[in-house]
Amino acid sequence: MQILKNVEELISYRRSLPSNSNVGLVPTMGALHKGHQSLIQQSVANNSHTILSIFVNPTQFGPTEDFDKYPRTLQKDCEIAKSCGVSAVFAPEVAEMYPNNDEITLHPPKNMGYIFEGFIRDGHFDGVLQIVLKLFHLTQPHFAYFGQKDAQQLLIIKRLVKDTFLPLKIIPCPTIRDVDGLALSSRNIYLSATQRQHALEIPQSLQYIKELINNGTEDAKTLIKSAKQILKNVTLDYLAITDYNLQEISAIQPNNSLVLIAAKVGNTRLIDNLWL
Ligand code: PAF
């Protein structure tokens, strides 16, 4: 496995790959957990070469967010990557990815990018699009793997590919959960034992919605009201039911519905969702 620290090394690595190779890209911010591992495993299973990027991207963090505090565990991440069969890790410094202060930026579609995460985290998706486009250009992947846990990010990146005619396919990968049901996230390490118990109300509320739907409830308001009863010890940012264009819907539409939730537990903000 190669460890590439700068853009030049990445470009020459990519050029060195045989023309008939299939390249999978797994973009991450490191602190790899089993959720990332499942993205990597899927890429390794389906491509001749997997490039894993590890970069805590400053432009997607707001001024009051946890950029400095975000866990950085490069050595351990590289060991995991190697054991999963990654071909190359790209782990650049910030100056390498952002050599200019005043850069061209991208914005998500207005009706997708400024609601939910985009409303609470001002400029977040601009930063995500900026770094993801750079990574796509540098690695020229055939496939890029993103977790369904970041549903809004996944849908907006799909639009980036569609709207700018990028020659690659986005592969959505299912959310991986701990045995207690909490969706894996690099931010879970911030939770105390009690906070973790409280955080479980998040997946429990989604599970409850699923059960209600299975028992025939389709009305979005009823589902949201019922699920809110479970959310006693977390501070809810939003709980919404939308279609796959992130537009709120009044009733569940099979194969085109998303339940999105974001809540704070102490100082830790967690998101989760249900794809229906
Ligand atoms: O999902 C993430 O970890 C990040 O938003 C991503 C896609 C790697 C861009 O920095």
Side-chain angles (χ1 to χ4, degrees):
M1 185 182 83
Q2 299 209 26
I3 299 180
L4 313 166
K5 295 295 281 183
N6 58 49
V7 164
E8 217 179 294
E9 284 173 8
L10 176 58
I11 292 172
S12 80
Y13 169 78
R14 181 64 185 89
R15 282 200 185 128
S16 74
L17 299 182
S19 59
N20 62 352
S21 48
N22 248 9
V23 177
L25 170 69
V26 183
T28 76
M29 298 206 297
L32 300 184
H33 51 63
K34 291 208 169 70
H36 299 112
Q37 283 184 48
S38 83
L39 306 183
I40 297 171
Q41 280 155 358
Q42 196 158 333
S43 175
V44 169
N46 293 319
N47 297 283
S48 60
H49 297 82
T50 290
I51 302 176
L52 171 77
S53 66
I54 298 179
F55 180 67
V56 186
N57 173 36
T59 61
Q60 68 188 75
F61 287 79
T64 59
E65 292 181 356
D66 56 349
F67 174 69
D68 291 327
K69 212 176 103 189
Y70 199 85
R72 287 161 173 86
T73 55
L74 185 60
Q75 203 183 327
K76 198 168 154 235
D77 291 347
C78 287
E79 284 162 21
I80 294 172
K82 196 170 174 193
S83 72
C84 291
V86 165
S87 316
V89 169
F90 176 52
E93 296 294 331
V94 171
E96 196 64 36
M97 295 311 283
Y98 294 109
N100 301 308
N101 282 331
D102 187 18
E103 283 199 352
I104 288 178
T105 50
L106 290 161
H107 305 292
K110 287 189 190 63
N111 61 356
M112 292 177 93
Y114 302 94
I115 46 178
F116 308 125
E117 291 307 289
F119 178 73
I120 288 155
R121 307 181 66 187
D122 189 27
H124 172 67
F125 290 115
D126 298 12
V128 171
L129 289 172
Q130 195 175 8
I131 193 64
V132 166
L133 187 63
K134 287 179 192 231
L135 292 169
F136 286 166
H137 282 310
L138 289 169
T139 55
Q140 295 176 27
H142 298 86
F143 300 98
Y145 296 79
F146 291 88
Q148 284 186 324
K149 176 171 170 287
D150 293 303
Q152 193 173 4
Q153 167 173 282
L154 171 64
L155 293 167
I156 289 172
I157 290 171
K158 274 187 155 187
R159 280 296 299 272
L160 170 72
V161 169
K162 190 166 179 245
D163 291 359
T164 62
F165 305 108
L166 287 169
L168 65 105
K169 191 163 187 266
I170 300 297
I171 310 290
C173 301
T175 301
I176 305 294
R177 297 180 182 279
D178 253 323
V179 275
D180 58 8
L182 193 65
L184 294 189
S185 159
S186 306
R187 293 191 167 103
N188 291 353
I189 55 162
Y190 303 141
L191 300 170
S192 69
T194 312
Q195 285 174 335
R196 190 173 172 107
Q197 283 310 308
H198 292 163
L200 292 182
E201 291 173 2
I202 296 169
Q204 282 160 3
S205 66
L206 293 175
Q207 196 50 39
Y208 187 44
I209 288 184
K210 201 172 176 178
E211 281 164 24
L212 291 173
I213 294 170
N214 288 342
N215 290 330
T217 309
E218 288 180 354
D219 179 64
K221 276 193 186 140
T222 311
L223 291 166
I224 290 170
K225 198 171 163 203
S226 312
K228 277 186 178 168
Q229 290 165 9
I230 293 178
L231 300 162
K232 292 193 188 95
N233 293 292
V234 302
T235 311
L236 190 62
D237 270 349
Y238 57 80
L239 173 60
I241 301 184
T242 74
D243 62 16
Y244 289 173
N245 289 316
L246 295 170
Q247 304 313 297
E248 294 201 47
I249 48 178
S250 56
I252 295 297
Q253 302 169 6
N255 300 317
N256 186 30
S257 301
L258 257 175
V259 185
L260 299 165
I261 182 167
K264 266 184 126 182
V265 189
N267 288 326
T268 308
R269 197 166 169 278
L270 300 173
I271 60 170
D272 202 346
N273 57 60
L274 194 61
W275 293 70
L276 298 160

